[in-house]
Amino acid sequence: MPGFFDSVARRIGKLDAESLRRQYEHLAEDRRFFEALLRSMHEGVMVVGGRGELKWANSAAERIAGFSYERARGRPAAQILPGGFAPAAQEHLEEGWTRAAVREVEISYPERKIVSVETAPLESRGETLLLLRDVTAEREREADALESGRNDAVRELASGVAHEIGNPLNALTIHLQLLARELRKNAGDERCVRWLKDVETARSEIGRVDSIIRGFLAAIRPVKPLLSPGSLAVPLQRALAALKAHLENSGVRVALDLPESVPNAMIDPGMIEQVFFNLAKNAAEAMKSGSVLEITLRYDDMNVEAVFRDHGSGMAPEELARIFEPYRTTKRDGNGLGLMVSRRIVRAHGGELEAESKQGDGTRFTVRIPRLERRVRRLSTSEDS
Ligand code: ADP
Ligand code: MG
């Protein structure tokens, strides 16, 4: 094809009006054909100009990312793309749109979706091609078996067994307590002191079994938040108060950045507190004494976000990919359920929990919850003020 066009271009001065018209119609017809082809694709196609402005989009892109091409044309792509999508696009902008990359982003507007975004530079034109694919269904199919509804029966059985184990454990604890009390009465007897130590060890081991079972029950219990309007600042302060001693012991300082007022979201404060507690605890566990954990509350038109940025060990990409799986832990006494439960809680609030990490640099967790009153996004400049 380029050969053909080149030869037409070379001969163009010699062509008469009629042949020019034929060539022109030929090209126009081709253009219509390729546009129709692009429009009929399931993949979203967007072309972004050198200044980050949207130049072209097919209808699949409009559908997947939830915007109208007519109205969005010429606007910064990073503004058009909603929710969690915008920062992703912005990042590519910052990188100069030069690097071809594939990533998956979760968008929460107009509905929750997982979108795979492939960017490729169109170098000769100084533009960037974005290919969008809705991979929500694929990812949901892959979602962990514990989270799938098909396992309701198994879940019930398992929770029954866990409860049954709880009862004898309680009885054991009580008996060990009685035994310890008796042994303490004979503190002068060397054997009693030894036995007391054994009893304490047994009690602490039972404590561990109990915490494993508790975690397990929490993990398989369906999450049903009791929602009411509230600020994320309240559960955040509570979680930090509950962790105060732990943070002090590990020598971690928290730098809190709260805006003057935080818009309300529909939340179950107890559940959100648990999420913040888990994230702050993980961060503290990943950091050396003397480090600072930065926690920021912020909001935009659509969402309120709590960002936990630590300067801890960070994670390799392979590790990061699996942190939400149940029982995945790198800690001696971890249960590997904290993040899984946290993500389920956030999702039950219509939000998303995202993790980004760089090994040796640190980790950032973002809790994003939709605002109670979302400010309607207006795309036409004349209405913006
Ligand atoms: P647990 O804390 O019991 O191990 P979690 O589900 O809370 O379980 O976390 C799972 C794993 O994810 C942790 O064991 C750790 O390897 C990794 N992880 C979580 N948060 C961080 C963090 N802030 N920095 C580095 N690694 C983390
Ligand atoms: Mg944890």
Side-chain angles (χ1 to χ4, degrees):
M1 284 288 249
F4 169 76
F5 290 121
D6 288 348
S7 83
V8 171
R10 261 197 310 280
R11 292 187 298 119
I12 205 150
K14 296 181 195 140
L15 293 176
D16 57 44
E18 177 54 24
S19 340
L20 264 178
R21 194 184 56 74
R22 269 209 314 275
Q23 297 298 347
Y24 180 82
E25 272 177 1
H26 188 70
L27 283 174
E29 173 56 32
D30 271 358
R31 190 198 151 96
R32 277 194 292 276
F33 172 71
F34 285 119
E35 271 210 18
L37 208 65
L38 281 168
R39 284 195 198 289
S40 67
M41 282 170 65
H42 283 297
E43 267 84 20
V45 180
M46 288 170 70
V47 178
V48 177
R51 283 169 293 108
E53 79 283 11
L54 176 67
K55 291 201 128 170
W56 193 85
N58 69 354
S59 43
E62 295 179 292
R63 196 181 56 246
I64 293 170
F67 67 92
S68 144
Y69 170 55
E70 281 304 314
R71 280 190 291 159
R73 187 180 184 164
R75 306 266 311 193
Q79 259 180 38
I80 295 153
L81 302 169
F85 203 101
Q90 194 67 48
E91 195 175 294
H92 288 298
L93 276 179
E94 284 163 12
E95 287 167 6
W97 296 96
T98 52
R99 204 173 48 109
V102 190
R103 64 182 289 173
E104 283 185 10
V105 293
E106 306 227 22
I107 63 174
S108 52
Y109 175 86
E111 56 188 313
R112 200 186 77 74
K113 276 191 202 131
I114 303 171
V115 179
S116 141
V117 185
E118 202 174 328
T119 54
L122 300 168
E123 260 148 24
S124 62
R125 297 169 57 98
E127 293 169 343
T128 303
L129 182 68
L130 263 69
L131 292 177
L132 314 185
R133 215 155 50 83
D134 185 346
V135 293
T136 317
E138 274 168 59
R139 291 300 166 269
E140 271 167 11
R141 265 199 303 280
E142 290 165 12
D144 177 69
L146 266 179
E147 296 198 53
S148 107
R150 279 169 302 160
N151 292 302
D152 279 353
V154 177
R155 188 184 308 207
E156 224 161 274
L157 195 68
S159 116
V161 171
H163 271 295
E164 288 308 315
I165 294 174
N167 295 336
L169 276 187
N170 277 339
L172 267 174
T173 308
I174 291 167
H175 282 95
L176 286 173
Q177 260 166 6
L178 293 175
L179 196 54
R181 196 176 299 163
E182 287 305 314
L183 291 170
R184 265 192 222 100
K185 283 183 191 154
N186 299 306
D189 184 339
E190 198 187 301
R191 279 187 315 170
C192 285
V193 174
R194 248 197 351 260
W195 288 336
L196 186 61
K197 249 201 195 135
D198 292 342
V199 169
E200 292 305 338
T201 310
R203 272 178 68 186
S204 106
E205 290 300 309
I206 287 176
R208 268 187 59 179
V209 176
D210 189 54
S211 116
I212 290 170
I213 288 175
R214 245 188 254 269
F216 175 72
L217 283 171
I220 62 173
R221 195 185 305 130
V223 176
K224 289 210 187 77
L226 211 65
L227 299 174
S228 61
S231 157
L232 291 190
V234 178
L236 180 58
Q237 303 275 21
R238 288 220 181 106
L240 292 178
L243 263 179
K244 196 161 180 282
H246 184 82
L247 292 170
E248 273 165 14
N249 280 341
S250 41
V252 168
R253 194 169 68 78
V254 174
L256 199 55
D257 184 1
L258 296 182
E260 256 169 42
S261 74
V262 185
N264 278 348
M266 291 300 283
I267 55 170
D268 182 319
M271 285 192 178
I272 296 294
E273 180 184 331
Q274 194 190 333
V275 172
F276 292 161
F277 182 95
N278 287 343
L279 295 179
K281 185 160 176 284
N282 278 347
E285 284 164 351
M287 286 195 290
K288 289 197 189 79
S289 174
S291 327
V292 177
L293 165 60
E294 295 157 35
I295 306 179
T296 310
L297 270 196
R298 61 184 190 196
Y299 57 92
D300 59 19
D301 289 350
M302 310 300 289
N303 306 296
V304 197
E305 292 182 349
V307 184
F308 291 69
R309 162 70 159 112
D310 69 51
H311 297 269
S313 52
M315 283 172 272
E318 317 81 74
E319 217 181 318
L320 183 65
R322 315 198 65 172
I323 52 172
F324 292 109
E325 292 176 9
Y327 304 112
R328 178 147 301 262
T329 181
T330 52
K331 298 168 196 168
R332 209 185 60 82
D333 51 1
N335 60 18
L337 293 170
L339 287 178
M340 180 212 160
V341 171
S342 297
R343 186 161 78 170
R344 284 177 60 201
I345 291 176
V346 177
R347 285 187 171 170
H349 283 73
E352 194 48 66
L353 173 60
E354 284 173 0
E356 301 153 88
S357 191
K358 194 171 169 204
Q359 199 152 35
D361 192 1
T363 306
R364 177 162 51 215
F365 281 93
T366 305
V367 178
R368 182 177 305 116
I369 309 266
R371 283 176 60 164
L372 178 57
E373 284 165 41
R374 292 187 154 196
R375 303 262 304 277
V376 179
R377 209 170 257 276
R378 285 180 305 199
L379 287 177
S380 95
T381 29
S382 57
E383 288 170 46
D384 287 351
S385 53

